[in-house]
Amino acid sequence: MAARGADAGTTREIDALQRRVAELESMVAERDSDLAAASARLSREAREREQAEAARRESERRVRAIFDQTFQFIAMLEPDGTVVEVNRTALRFAGAVPAEVLGRPFWDTPWWSHSPRLQERLRQAVASAARGEFVRFEATHPGPGGAVAYIDFSLKPVKDETGEVEFLIPEGRDITEHKRDEARLRERTAALAESELKYRTLVENVPLVVYRLSPDGEVLFVNRFVEEAFGYSPEEVLRDPGLWSRWVDEEDRPTVEGFRAKGVREGREFLAEYRVRHREGKTVHVLDHAIPSRDAEGRVSSVGGILLDVTGRVKLRKERMRAKELETLNEVAARLAHEFRNPLTSVGGFARRLLAGLPPQDPNRRLVEVIVQDVARLEAILGVVLTYIQPLELALSPTDPRRIVEAALEAIRGTAQAARVRVEQSPAPTGLWISADAPRLEAALETLLRNALASMKEGEVLAVESWVEGDMFHLALRYPAQAVSPDDIVDFFYPVTSPRMLQRAEWLPMSKVLVHKHGGTLDVALDEPGRIVLRLALPLLKSLRPATA
């Protein structure tokens, strides 16, 4: 029994030991598993650290590559300005090696040794950046070959988590080309402004109407000469789009609008001469030369042109035509006068001889006297015709009109005294000038004065007045003339039509012709019954006209 009990106890111990061994084996297995896991974790972490370090080195390499390859000057400074890092661009810029730059104050590096003033400015900039301020300014630096280089410089503070400045980053960028471009741009802008000023000055002051129209006829631009040419200001023309067409003469408007429409439709320049109605009602002849402009797609975008006042040219053309006609008429008149002169001389000579041989009591004597008188009248008419058709060339020069009046009055002074006629002259304006052939104009005025004296009686007054009105010099002769009818006034300058005025046949027509040749006017009228007034007007020279005229 005792032995059986002992065996039972041993069996229990063995079972317990086996369980303990199993537990220990399980614990060892768990420990081995933990160690394996820890080892794997450590291995993985080691690999990750290696990968991170490799990535960091690669990132550092890339950053350094970017740092060194950038075109900007970049460095890193301690807050006190000591250089701790610098890129290759900065080294090339300074022409230095790292040993000459690293560890030195930023303002005391080879970059700025050329300018003590700039060194002081950089020292102050570092102090400002160390206080957390961002600093930026432009600096100059000697470039290759001694040329000045311009640097856009900035100094940026970098702060830590607490807000303290940890280091400073100076950056510099070469803006020399930019500066040169700016200078070229300024020069070109100035040149363009000057060119525009010259163009605008030319356009605004040229004696032409310069304009630009849209394809539908809207006025886009017109210069200020339009006011002088047509009486409308540029503002009025721009405000009233229809005015550009309305001022064209009604008869010419359809033709002009057709020209413009064709120019826009076909994109061809057009040239047209037409009439424009001035604001004051007068007609202005213009030559319109317009050139359409095209856009990138070939469509007409606008029409630019000029309007030239050709009124004077049209007038000259008409005058030339009239002169040509007059030349033909003069030639015909000269031939006719020659044809008339020979038979008239024969008839007059025979009539006078016949009259001289007839006794006073001859019943035919009265008939011959009529023939002699009519022949004399025809001879006077022929003399006037010959006077008219003679070529008349004037030798014009600036002349004081007062001197012409004084000379003519002096020439008839003796005649007036002999006839006991009083000449009263009002004060004449001074400082005036006209373009005149003085001797011929004096002769014409003398003719008018002598004609007046021939019509006056003893004791009567011949009044002579002169004045300035606008751009004309005026002269008036007033005197009484007995038994002067309106018909006599009509025939005043053509006395060949009036037997009573035949004695003046060769005087007065040439006087009127001479005044007209001087660009003036000469008219006659009855101031009141039995009182004649002759009015003469001559244009003043603008360049010599006084300010008070």
Side-chain angles (χ1 to χ4, degrees), residues 209 229-230 247 249 252 272-278 282-288 307-318:
V209 177
F230 307 137
W247 67 24
D249 188 271
D252 298 341
E273 186 176 313
Y274 54 88
R275 293 164 293 177
V276 171
R277 186 67 60 183
H278 192 280
K282 62 183 179 181
T283 298
V284 181
H285 293 262
V286 299
L287 179 65
D288 189 349
L307 291 173
L308 173 64
D309 185 348
V310 294
T311 306
R313 191 177 75 179
V314 171
K315 183 179 178 181
L316 180 61
R317 188 166 61 220
K318 291 180 178 178

Side-chain angles (χ1 to χ4, degrees), residues 328-347:
T328 303
L329 289 174
N330 287 345
E331 185 178 349
V332 172
R335 290 175 182 242
L336 289 175
H338 178 73
E339 295 297 328
F340 273 110
R341 176 183 290 176
N342 292 336
L344 191 60
T345 301
S346 299
V347 171

Side-chain angles (χ1 to χ4, degrees), residues 402-454:
R402 187 177 57 166
R403 293 181 58 185
I404 293 178
V405 176
E406 296 290 348
L409 288 173
E410 183 62 28
I412 59 99
R413 192 176 305 280
T415 305
Q417 291 175 351
R420 299 183 182 277
V421 171
R422 190 168 78 254
V423 179
E424 294 182 352
Q425 181 186 7
S426 63
T430 60
L432 305 178
W433 295 89
I434 61 174
S435 180
D437 185 329
R440 289 178 182 266
L441 200 55
E442 288 172 12
L445 183 55
E446 182 183 342
T447 296
L448 297 175
L449 290 168
R450 291 189 181 280
N451 180 70
L453 293 176

Side-chain angles (χ1 to χ4, degrees), residues 25-47:
E25 288 178 348
S26 176
M27 290 176 62
V28 169
E30 289 179 3
R31 183 70 55 85
D32 289 342
S33 176
D34 290 341
L35 288 174
S39 176
R41 186 171 62 255
L42 290 174
S43 297
R44 185 171 61 254
E45 289 176 353
R47 287 195 301 273

Side-chain angles (χ1 to χ4, degrees), residues 384 387-388 447 492-496 504-514:
V384 172
T387 301
Y388 268 118
T447 296
F492 188 86
F493 294 107
Y494 309 98
V496 295
R504 299 175 291 162
E506 296 185 12
W507 302 353
L508 296 177
M510 185 52 63
S511 298
K512 191 174 181 71
V513 170
L514 279 167

Side-chain angles (χ1 to χ4, degrees), residues 386-397:
L386 290 174
T387 301
Y388 268 118
I389 64 177
Q390 291 298 320
L392 183 61
E393 297 295 334
L394 300 180
L396 300 175
S397 62

Side-chain angles (χ1 to χ4, degrees), residues 421-422 447-457 460-465 476-482 484 489 492-493 501 504 508 523-535:
V421 171
R422 190 168 78 254
T447 296
L448 297 175
L449 290 168
R450 291 189 181 280
N451 180 70
L453 293 176
S455 304
M456 298 173 67
K457 294 181 178 181
E460 292 180 332
V461 177
L462 170 59
V464 180
E465 306 170 41
L477 307 180
R478 303 177 191 274
Y479 58 93
Q482 301 300 321
V484 176
I489 294 300
F492 188 86
F493 294 107
M501 306 177 78
R504 299 175 291 162
L508 296 177
D523 301 305
V524 63
L526 284 175
D527 195 22
E528 56 186 60
R531 185 175 176 82
I532 288 177
V533 57
L534 276 166
R535 295 187 179 89

